[in-house]
């Protein structure tokens, strides 16, 4: 119990630090969202009243008073789920925009990351168990895809599978002409069809790393004394492979998986730009392009929460899988 309480306390402090940094960094950047909004209003020919600036400062999260008072207001707003109003999509709430984009990213990048991890670790385990087999010799081919620049691989797949062999659409998240978003078979089928190509890109570019890492850890683990002892006792080879070797060899991969899963949101920018996919990466790119600091701050907060949450889950799982981690604490 002490181990888990220490982990939770550490991540609570880390969360506070992330929230604090997320508050101060946008305010240290050049430019001002209020000035940007007022320039847009002037360009549109709107009449600007004397109290407009003060009203926009409050509405866009600037608030009043000194920086510490603004920080306190920011924490209170966070506790109430209020991330402010987007200046580039005024008067849209940031929480609404993130809530609309986040499911697309989780569905695409999250599932693709999980699939590539499961396939990579499973194939790497078999490759390490049967060294010199055709599967072991396949690893250099898979790592080649990992070394290729991600955007280049995505563009090649777009060229081959949408132009040369027109099997998939090249952009979008679903067929906007014939499908209405909702929990229907037509929409789910369309989303899977449109998301298959970007998901394939993610799997091809990441599966090699999981395979290589798991294969090397399996080879190292199989030389340990307890594996030799288990084999000498005549235990079932499948039990030796799964219970003794794979369970210990997977721990470094599991920690790496936490980091990659936490960065699902941040790592979706290139994917969604190449395929014009309507996810959180596209939203972040739009906020940076339009100097929308409120939206930027909200997206960065989601990224921080996802990274911390994923690492906390894996730390807990490590404590369950490997009791030695709890003993050291």
């Amino acid at each position: 119990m002490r181990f888990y309480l220490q982990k939770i306390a550490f991540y609570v402090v880390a969360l506070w630090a992330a929230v604090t940094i997320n508050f101060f960094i946008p305010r240290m950047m050049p430019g001002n969202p209020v000035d940007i909004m007022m320039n847009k209003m002037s360009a549109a020919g709107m009449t600007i009243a004397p109290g407009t600036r003060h009203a926009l400062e409050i509405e866009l999260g600037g608030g009043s008073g000194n920086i510490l008072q603004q920080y306190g207001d920011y924490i209170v707003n966070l506790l109430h789920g209020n991330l402010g109003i987007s200046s580039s999509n005024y008067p849209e709430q940031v929480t609404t925009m993130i809530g609309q984009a986040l499911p697309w990213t989780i569905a695409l990048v999250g599932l693709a990351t999980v699939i590539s991890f499961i396939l990579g670790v499973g194939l790497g385990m078999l490759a390490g168990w049967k060294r010199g087999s055709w599967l072991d010799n396949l690893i250099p081919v898979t790592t080649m895809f990992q070394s290729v620049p991600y955007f280049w691989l995505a563009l090649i797949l777009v060229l081959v599978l949408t132009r040369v062999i027109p099997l998939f659409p090249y952009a979008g998240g679903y067929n906007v002409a014939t499908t209405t978003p909702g929990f229907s078979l037509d929409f789910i089928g369309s989303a899977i069809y449109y998301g298959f190509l970007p998901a394939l890109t993610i799997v091809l570019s990441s599966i090699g790393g999981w395979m290589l890492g798991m294969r090397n850890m399996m080879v190292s683990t199989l030389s340990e004394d307890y594996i030799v002892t288990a084999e000498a006792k005549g235990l079932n080879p499948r039990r030796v492979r799964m219970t003794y070797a794979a369970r210990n060899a997977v721990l470094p991969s599991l920690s790496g998986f936490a980091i990659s899963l936490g960065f699902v949101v941040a790592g979706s920018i290139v994917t969604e730009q190449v395929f014009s996919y309507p996810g959180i990466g596209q939203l972040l790119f739009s906020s940076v392009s339009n100097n929308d600091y409120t939206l930027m701050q909200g997206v960065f907060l989601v990224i921080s929460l996802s990274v911390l949450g994923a690492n906390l889950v894996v730390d807990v799982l490590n404590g369950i899988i490997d009791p030695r981690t709890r003993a050291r604490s």
Side-chain angles (χ1 to χ4, degrees), residues 107-263:
L108 171 66
V109 189
L111 288 177
T113 302
V114 171
I115 290 171
S116 63
F117 173 77
I118 293 174
L119 287 177
V121 166
L123 294 175
M125 177 191 67
L126 294 176
W129 182 258
K130 298 182 179 180
R131 285 167 286 178
S133 64
W134 67 270
L135 185 59
D136 194 17
N137 295 327
L138 186 65
I139 290 181
V141 178
T142 59
T143 53
M144 178 195 68
F145 286 110
Q146 189 179 25
S147 63
V148 172
Y150 183 80
F151 67 91
W152 189 84
L153 177 61
L155 292 173
I156 292 297
L157 288 177
V158 168
L159 174 64
V160 173
L161 297 179
T162 67
R163 299 301 184 186
V164 179
I165 308 174
L167 295 176
F168 301 99
Y170 67 90
Y174 65 98
N175 191 333
V176 296
T178 61
T179 308
T180 302
F183 290 100
S184 64
L185 291 177
D186 289 339
F187 174 72
I188 294 173
S190 179
I192 293 174
Y193 178 57
Y194 274 73
F196 183 84
L197 194 56
L200 178 63
T201 308
I202 296 171
V203 172
L204 287 178
S205 64
S206 57
I207 192 173
W210 298 121
M211 284 185 66
L212 181 61
M214 186 62 183
R215 186 263 181 196
N216 292 339
M217 284 304 302
M218 278 291 291
V219 171
S220 176
T221 304
L222 289 173
S223 63
E224 295 289 340
D225 292 340
Y226 62 88
I227 299 293
V228 177
T229 303
E231 291 175 337
K233 287 182 176 180
L235 295 181
N236 187 291
R238 185 176 181 274
R239 182 181 178 186
V240 175
R241 181 177 72 241
M242 298 298 297
T243 306
Y244 291 87
R247 180 179 178 180
N248 291 283
V250 78
L251 292 176
S253 295
L254 195 61
S255 300
F257 175 65
I259 298 174
S260 64
L261 196 61
F263 279 101

Side-chain angles (χ1 to χ4, degrees), residues 314-329:
V314 171
D315 277 347
V316 172
L317 288 177
N318 276 337
I320 296 173
I321 295 173
D322 187 0
R324 293 173 298 178
T325 59
R326 299 198 302 268
R328 284 196 295 267
S329 65

Side-chain angles (χ1 to χ4, degrees), residues 11-153:
Y11 282 104
V12 167
V13 175
L15 176 60
W16 169 79
V19 167
T20 302
I21 293 172
N22 194 39
F23 170 80
F24 283 103
I25 285 183
R27 286 158 177 78
M28 297 169 60
M29 296 175 65
N32 190 318
V34 176
D35 292 336
I36 294 172
M37 277 295 302
M38 293 189 68
N39 290 336
K40 288 181 179 179
M41 294 169 65
S42 299
M46 299 174 63
T47 303
I48 300 176
T52 301
R53 168 175 286 275
H54 181 65
L56 286 175
E57 285 178 348
I58 296 175
E59 199 167 21
L60 295 178
S64 58
N66 58 39
I67 192 69
L68 292 179
Q69 290 174 324
Q70 293 181 29
Y71 177 71
D73 294 338
Y74 170 72
I75 297 296
V76 171
N77 288 332
L78 279 185
L79 294 176
H80 287 85
N82 180 14
L83 299 179
I85 295 175
S86 168
S87 60
S88 60
N89 295 273
Y90 186 85
E92 192 78 27
Q93 289 282 341
V94 170
T95 50
T96 302
M97 298 178 66
I98 292 177
Q100 293 171 349
L102 192 58
W104 291 96
T105 296
I106 294 175
L108 171 66
V109 189
L111 288 177
T113 302
V114 171
I115 290 171
S116 63
F117 173 77
I118 293 174
L119 287 177
V121 166
L123 294 175
M125 177 191 67
L126 294 176
W129 182 258
K130 298 182 179 180
R131 285 167 286 178
S133 64
W134 67 270
L135 185 59
D136 194 17
N137 295 327
L138 186 65
I139 290 181
V141 178
T142 59
T143 53
M144 178 195 68
F145 286 110
Q146 189 179 25
S147 63
V148 172
Y150 183 80
F151 67 91
W152 189 84
L153 177 61

